[in-house]
């Protein structure tokens, strides 16, 4: 079984910073793309940032220049450094990873449980 465990959310004032972490564990053979999504109340879940195995990144336009995604393949962990936070960044942030486990020849998308980020203005 594969698990993604997130940490690092919390309450921060506008203009502040937070760093989210997401560690994958279980019977993992390999991890392909990893990413962070968020969902604010009453809104659809949206992709915030993603990163490939060779560190090619993609960002939501509204976070470009403020957020940085990175990964440590040896630790099976993805990070999201969030700077200059705004009230509109308030949401539950979810980690996602495409994982191939020992029980399958296919890659499967896994999700973390979500971590709340609240930015006060």
């Amino acid at each position: 079984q594969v698990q993604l465990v997130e940490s690092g959310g919390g309450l921060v004032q506008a203009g502040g910073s937070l760093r989210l972490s997401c560690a994958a564990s279980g019977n993992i053979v390999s991890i392909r793309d990893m990413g962070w999504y968020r969902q604010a109340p009453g809104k659809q879940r949206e992709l915030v940032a993603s990163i490939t195995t060779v560190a090619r990144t993609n960002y939501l336009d509204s976070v470009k220049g403020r957020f940085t995604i990175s990964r440590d393949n040896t630790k099976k962990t993805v990070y999201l450094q969030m700077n200059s936070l705004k009230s509109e960044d308030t949401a539950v942030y979810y980690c996602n990873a495409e994982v191939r486990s020992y029980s399958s020849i296919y890659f499967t998308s896994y999700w973390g449980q979500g971590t709340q980020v609240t930015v006060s203005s």
Side-chain angles (χ1 to χ4, degrees):
Q1 188 70 0
V2 174
Q3 287 186 323
L4 300 182
V5 178
E6 299 137 341
S7 60
L11 173 64
V12 64
Q13 287 188 333
S17 299
L18 282 175
R19 189 191 194 211
L20 305 183
S21 299
C22 172
S25 63
N27 55 340
I28 296 170
V29 174
S30 64
I31 302 175
R32 204 158 55 185
D33 291 1
M34 303 183 82
W36 289 95
Y37 289 72
R38 69 186 182 188
Q39 187 166 19
K43 295 187 178 181
Q44 288 189 329
R45 189 174 296 190
E46 61 181 357
L47 175 64
V48 176
S50 63
I51 185 167
T52 68
T53 53
V54 293
R56 181 170 295 176
T57 59
N58 180 55
Y59 294 95
L60 181 68
D61 283 347
S62 62
V63 307
K64 286 180 180 177
R66 301 188 297 121
F67 290 11
T68 303
I69 189 170
S70 60
R71 64 190 285 173
D72 184 331
N73 292 327
T74 60
K75 295 182 178 179
K76 301 183 181 66
T77 299
V78 63
Y79 306 96
L80 185 67
Q81 178 66 43
M82 305 184 293
N83 298 329
S84 303
L85 282 160
K86 304 176 181 179
S87 58
E88 50 263 44
D89 295 318
T90 295
V92 177
Y93 283 70
Y94 297 91
C95 170
N96 175 264
E98 297 177 351
V99 179
R100 187 165 82 82
S101 68
Y102 285 101
S103 60
S104 175
I105 62 171
Y106 302 107
F107 282 87
T108 301
S109 181
Y110 288 90
W111 292 90
Q113 79 283 0
T115 185
Q116 177 70 46
V117 171
T118 303
V119 183
S120 63
S121 56

